[in-house]
Amino acid sequence: MLPTFFIAHGAPSLAIEQHAYTEFLRKLAMSIPTPKAIVLFSAHWESSVQKISSAVEPEMIYDFSGFPDELYDINYPAKGDLTLSLHIQQLCQQEGIRCELNDKRGLDHGAWSPLSIMYPDAQIPVVTMSVNPRLTPEEHYRIGAALGPLRDEGVLIIGSGGTVHNLRRLDHNNPVPQLWAVEFDEWLAEQLETWNLDALIRYDERAPHAQEAVPTPEHFVPLLIAFGAGDASRSAKLLHHSFQMGTLSLCCWMFGSLKREKRG
């Protein structure tokens, strides 16, 4: 059984950066068995209905501007996996989760940026999933839990987003993290490590500086989904934590382990 991960994808330029976090991501991929496929929930694919990519050869989406030209030269030619997409659709429908296949969606930078670091040869099939920021935290957790059985099948589930993600509060010239950002992530870590679901589903009311850290929920949603996908084990471990530009949190959480877990 594979664990499930939440991976902060930072800025689009992460794909061409060289620092402790990118080195961590490279080593992380080497520390676990090679997955048969990857299912990735991207903060940059928003939809009112749960979408499941079903493109055989997903195109690249360069959904940003103002970054170095070399980012537009990156190509991550991972294949899709229609059989897996249909399997995901079935798992969602079994739990009463409305979903639709989408054979047009390509790979946005929430997907190809971290994956190009972790699995640069692009040989592992990738199925991307949308997020719906208007759902409740309980509903996000439920979506993740519905896909938990994929872990037994050698499928790696990743939520790609960010915990503290407020572009208006970035301080590009300050390498020191701001106190409010640190305090939010510390609160979050305590709830995840103790699997305090009651607190997490009310993070916007209970967490310090929640409105500053999560001004809009789309980047936080993948964490809740990855968290839900680890429901069988209810174990959480922070593998990396650092900051860029004063407030942009770069963290990686692992839910579950490589051991077989009891369900229900």
Side-chain angles (χ1 to χ4, degrees):
M1 170 178 284
L2 289 173
T4 181
F5 293 98
F6 170 76
I7 294 174
H9 61 243
S13 55
L14 182 75
I16 57 173
E17 293 171 359
Q18 300 286 334
H19 46 63
Y21 185 54
T22 57
E23 182 62 21
F24 159 78
L25 291 177
R26 292 186 186 94
K27 291 181 178 179
L28 175 64
M30 293 186 288
S31 72
I32 63 174
T34 302
K36 295 179 181 177
I38 297 170
V39 172
L40 186 145
F41 288 84
S42 173
H44 291 275
W45 185 10
E46 296 184 42
S47 176
S48 60
V49 175
Q50 180 61 66
K51 301 283 189 175
I52 306 164
S53 69
S54 58
V56 177
E57 296 184 356
E59 297 180 353
M60 294 287 287
I61 301 175
Y62 303 98
D63 50 335
F64 47 81
S65 61
F67 287 88
D69 291 343
E70 61 186 298
L71 281 176
Y72 298 90
D73 294 329
I74 293 177
N75 184 36
Y76 193 74
K79 304 293 186 183
D81 187 332
L82 180 56
T83 299
L84 177 57
S85 298
L86 292 168
H87 184 28
I88 292 169
Q89 182 181 43
Q90 182 182 41
L91 289 173
C92 288
Q93 291 174 340
Q94 286 174 351
E95 296 300 323
I97 298 167
R98 185 183 170 201
C99 60
E100 298 175 355
L101 298 180
N102 183 308
D103 63 359
K104 305 298 182 184
R105 181 72 182 188
L107 300 176
D108 59 54
H109 82 269
W112 59 256
S113 180
L115 292 182
S116 66
I117 299 170
M118 297 174 69
Y119 299 105
D121 60 3
Q123 294 300 303
I124 302 171
V126 177
V127 173
T128 54
M129 307 274 291
S130 67
V131 298
N132 180 358
R134 288 172 287 279
L135 295 180
T136 66
E138 297 100 318
E139 289 171 310
H140 297 307
Y141 187 91
R142 182 167 163 252
I143 291 170
L147 301 192
L150 293 175
R151 297 171 54 207
D152 282 323
E153 302 171 22
V155 175
L156 181 62
I157 301 172
I158 296 175
S160 174
T163 53
V164 181
H165 188 272
N166 187 334
L167 300 184
R168 294 188 177 185
R169 295 299 303 273
L170 295 179
D171 186 347
H172 294 268
N173 299 314
N174 186 5
V176 180
Q178 295 188 18
L179 181 59
W180 64 266
V182 173
E183 290 180 346
F184 176 84
D185 265 357
E186 288 179 343
W187 179 91
L188 182 62
E190 181 179 352
Q191 314 317 314
L192 291 171
E193 289 170 349
T194 58
W195 214 271
N196 190 347
L197 185 56
D198 288 341
L200 282 166
I201 62 178
R202 295 174 177 82
Y203 76 90
D204 56 337
E205 301 171 356
R206 297 191 180 184
H209 317 293
Q211 299 308 312
E212 287 181 287
V214 189
T216 57
E218 76 287 339
H219 276 74
F220 197 76
V221 167
L223 171 68
L224 296 170
I225 295 173
F227 185 55
D231 180 77
S233 63
R234 299 205 163 195
S235 66
K237 184 177 181 180
L238 180 61
L239 301 181
H240 179 94
H241 191 208
S242 58
F243 282 90
Q244 283 183 321
M245 296 175 281
T247 67
L248 186 62
S249 179
L250 298 178
C251 62
C252 176
W253 281 93
M254 178 176 72
F255 305 114
S257 67
L258 295 172
K259 299 178 182 178
R260 181 167 295 279
E261 300 159 1
K262 295 181 180 179
R263 297 189 178 275

